[in-house]
């Protein structure tokens, strides 16, 4: 018997990023040519930069989860069902365009183990009861895309603010050992976030702190998402760079969708080390 919490269903937290397309008024040919020349001249003044790297991390998963129909009987700590640690590989890229920068990152920790449910879990009318021994797997794809604007530009100290999206792609399963009853998760959660980045350059070493956050309530559902990334980066030789850092991602979701309820309160934290190139 199997139940799937499918991303094709309407999201319990319908967060939508909408950017209205600007309506450009019609101009004659001379105006269009002039605008094009101005745009090209501005681009010519910008010297793009690019930092690309790959890293290896040691991450720990903490928190708890609960699902039910008509309410939640309680939550089960993730470590009680054997979900604790993983060592994923990730990647990041920063594109600098003058006072504007684009930041991208991706990592996909996967946690597996076995343990015992502390509470009944009900997804789609299929239940695994409290006290059942289960084999668990939880994959968390963590993808980030940010657009930042420097408000304090500088070669030594800089501060930038902006916005973007943190995407969490949750998939996994919980299988009762005796009956083979299986509950499956498959849900992508796009989270629009506000972002702040502060950096300091000390000779060949650069220190930075990147924080993204969003808190929202909608029709009885609540979401609070906070991501902190601390990094030290150092020039090695030529375009080669090395870096190390610490990241903590916290996600607290409570939702109700009709008669279905869910409580997902987790944090993923750990250290990473990587290398890359800077142009």
């Amino acid at each position: 018997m199997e139940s799937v919490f499918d991303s094709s269903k309407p999201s319990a937290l319908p967060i939508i990023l909408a950017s209205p397309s600007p309506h450009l008024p019609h101009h004659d040919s001379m105006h269009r040519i002039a605008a094009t020349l101005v745009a090209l001249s501005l681009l010519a003044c910008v010297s793009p930069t690019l930092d690309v790297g790959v890293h290896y991390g040691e991450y720990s998963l903490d928190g708890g989860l609960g699902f039910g129909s008509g309410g939640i009987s309680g939550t089960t700590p993730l470590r009680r069902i054997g979900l604790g640690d993983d060592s994923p590989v990730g990647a990041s890229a920063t594109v600098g365009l003058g006072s504007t920068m684009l930041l991208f990152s991706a990592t996909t920790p996967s946690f597996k183990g076995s343990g015992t449910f502390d509470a009944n879990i009900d997804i789609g009318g299929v239940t695994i009861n409290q006290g059942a021994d289960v084999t668990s797997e939880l994959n968390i794809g963590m993808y980030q895309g940010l657009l930042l604007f420097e408000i304090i530009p500088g070669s030594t100290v800089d501060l930038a603010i902006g916005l973007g999206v943190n995407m969490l792609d949750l998939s996994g399963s919980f299988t009762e050992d005796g009956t083979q009853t299986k509950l499956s998760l498959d849900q992508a959660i796009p989270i629009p976030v506000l972002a702040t980045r502060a950096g300091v350059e000390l000779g060949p070493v650069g220190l930075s702190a990147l924080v993204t956050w969003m808190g929202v309530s909608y029709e009885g559902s609540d979401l609070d998402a906070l991501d902190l990334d601390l990094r030290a980066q150092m020039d090695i030789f030529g375009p080669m760079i090395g870096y190390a850092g610490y990241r903590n991602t916290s996600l607290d979701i409570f939702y109700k969708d009709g008669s279905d309820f869910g409580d997902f309160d987790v944090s993923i934290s750990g250290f990473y080390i990587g290398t890359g190139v800077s142009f």
Side-chain angles (χ1 to χ4, degrees):
M1 185 179 301
E2 181 173 348
S3 173
V4 177
F5 182 49
D6 197 336
S7 59
S8 63
K9 296 173 61 179
S11 174
L13 287 172
I15 302 169
I16 300 174
L17 280 177
S19 297
S21 299
H23 178 70
L24 297 178
H26 296 288
H27 298 287
D28 58 28
S29 298
M30 290 301 295
H31 286 171
R32 286 196 295 269
I33 293 172
T36 302
L37 291 175
V38 170
L40 290 175
S41 66
L42 290 175
L43 289 174
C45 296
V46 176
S47 298
T49 61
L50 175 64
D51 290 4
V52 181
V54 293
H55 57 266
Y56 168 85
E58 292 281 351
Y59 293 97
S60 296
L61 178 67
D62 288 298
L65 57 81
F67 299 98
S69 295
I72 300 176
S73 63
T75 59
T76 293
L78 295 173
R79 290 190 174 271
R80 280 279 289 159
I81 52 177
L83 303 179
D85 304 291
D86 190 39
S87 304
V89 174
S92 62
T94 300
V95 181
L97 298 170
S99 61
T100 302
M101 67 179 71
L102 297 170
L103 281 69
F104 304 95
S105 67
T107 188
T108 55
S110 179
F111 305 94
K112 300 179 181 180
S114 58
T116 304
F117 273 166
D118 280 2
N120 296 343
I121 300 291
D122 183 316
I123 299 178
V126 178
T127 302
I128 296 180
N129 293 317
Q130 177 183 1
D133 294 327
V134 296
T135 299
S136 306
E137 179 178 355
L138 184 61
N139 307 307
I140 305 178
M142 302 162 59
Y143 309 102
Q144 186 176 75
L146 305 173
L147 173 63
L148 302 181
F149 305 93
E150 287 188 334
I151 57 174
I152 302 179
S155 57
T156 302
V157 178
D158 65 87
L159 177 66
I161 60 174
L163 46 80
V165 176
N166 288 351
M167 172 72 78
L168 291 178
D169 188 5
L170 307 176
S171 63
S173 63
F174 311 98
T175 304
E176 188 172 358
D177 292 345
T179 65
Q180 295 303 301
T181 299
K182 185 176 183 179
L183 305 177
S184 296
L185 294 175
D186 186 2
Q187 185 77 12
I189 306 174
I191 305 172
V193 293
L194 303 174
T196 300
R197 181 187 181 278
V200 178
E201 296 288 339
L202 302 173
V205 178
L207 305 175
S208 66
L210 175 64
V211 180
T212 67
W213 174 81
M214 178 53 67
V216 64
S217 296
Y218 182 84
E219 295 185 351
S221 299
D222 300 297
L223 179 147
D224 193 296
L226 176 66
D227 186 272
L228 170 66
D229 191 347
L230 304 175
R231 176 178 294 197
Q233 181 171 304
M234 183 174 184
D235 297 333
I236 300 178
F237 60 88
M240 296 294 296
I241 58 173
Y243 59 90
Y246 171 81
R247 186 173 181 182
N248 186 303
T249 300
S250 299
L251 179 67
D252 187 359
I253 296 176
F254 176 81
Y255 75 85
K256 58 180 181 178
D257 184 10
S259 62
D260 294 330
F261 290 77
D263 190 350
F264 193 75
D265 183 4
V266 301
S267 66
I268 305 167
S269 60
F271 293 91
Y272 62 85
I273 186 170
T275 186
V277 292
S278 178
F279 301 102

